[in-house]
Amino acid sequence: MNGLSEPYTTQDSLAGVRGGIDRCLELTADPDGLGVRAPAISAWSVRDHVEHLLLSDRKLLGWVVEALATPNPETREDSPNEIGRTLLARGSIPRGRGPAPDFTLPAGLESGDLRAGFVALSGLAADLAPTLPELDACRLTLPHHVLGHFTPAEWLRFLHLHHRHHDAIIHDILVTGPLATPNA
């Protein structure tokens, strides 16, 4: 999924989201590891990245489920913009200071709350597996605050890439000579 020409499927995207959720569950099993920081890599701790993923996944997977229960229009309502299309095709989100929507900003959830959230998301993602044909056919869209409008299948692709993006940052934080945050 690194090249522009490499195809991807909704099944690949859902598998990637489920794998990302599983990695977050592993991270929540280590409360001390969640408090690790590496300011040279990110202003956020491991916990902050995990919480951001939880909040994003919860909102967007919930919308995907709602979209499947909504009558499907014959044509899509709107499309990703050029940056959104490029990101989905490229298969990665570049590092930098991208603006995170307010609803995805970490607020300091405890490790148990993070874990419970990802357990619920794991079940929700598993329930989507039998709906792949409907996901591919759905033309409803929900706007991304920067990248334009995505269908449910495109949102799954984005969430997969979003997990990979934060997984790489978390890996670098943990490898860089971490500083534990007291009482994290």
Side-chain angles (χ1 to χ4, degrees), residues 46-56 105-109 114:
V46 171
R47 174 191 315 277
D48 294 335
H49 285 276
V50 170
E51 184 175 348
H52 170 72
L53 288 166
L54 172 67
L55 297 171
S56 299
L105 295 177
L109 288 177
L114 292 170

Side-chain angles (χ1 to χ4, degrees), residues 9-180:
T9 67
T10 305
Q11 182 175 355
D12 296 332
S13 298
L14 182 57
V17 170
R18 291 177 76 182
I21 290 169
D22 288 345
R23 285 186 295 284
C24 287
L25 280 167
E26 290 171 14
L27 289 165
T28 63
D30 178 13
D32 291 335
L34 288 172
V36 174
R37 293 184 173 278
I41 301 297
S42 175
W44 284 0
S45 68
V46 171
R47 174 191 315 277
D48 294 335
H49 285 276
V50 170
E51 184 175 348
H52 170 72
L53 288 166
L54 172 67
L55 297 171
S56 299
D57 287 1
R58 184 182 288 158
K59 167 84 172 176
L60 297 169
L61 288 175
W63 179 81
V64 167
V65 169
E66 287 176 23
L68 290 175
T70 304
N72 191 19
E74 289 184 30
T75 60
R76 70 182 296 148
E77 297 165 346
D78 210 339
S79 298
N81 61 31
E82 184 177 341
I83 297 168
R85 284 189 305 274
T86 300
L87 183 139
L88 293 177
R90 180 176 157 192
S92 66
I93 298 172
R95 285 206 189 173
R97 287 187 168 258
D102 288 345
F103 75 89
T104 69
L105 295 177
L109 288 177
E110 296 296 322
S111 60
D113 294 329
L114 292 170
R115 184 163 189 76
F118 280 109
V119 167
L121 287 174
S122 181
L124 182 61
D127 290 346
L128 288 173
T131 68
L132 292 175
E134 292 88 352
L135 282 168
D136 281 328
C138 187
R139 297 292 158 241
L140 291 172
T141 61
L142 178 72
H144 181 278
H145 66 288
V146 173
L147 304 173
H149 290 71
F150 292 158
T151 64
E154 290 166 337
W155 272 114
L156 286 177
R157 171 71 168 166
F158 174 82
L159 288 175
H160 175 204
L161 302 179
H162 192 233
H163 270 278
R164 286 179 25 188
H165 171 77
H166 285 279
D167 286 347
I169 295 169
I170 290 167
H171 173 267
D172 290 352
I173 290 170
L174 292 172
V175 169
T176 297
L179 305 169

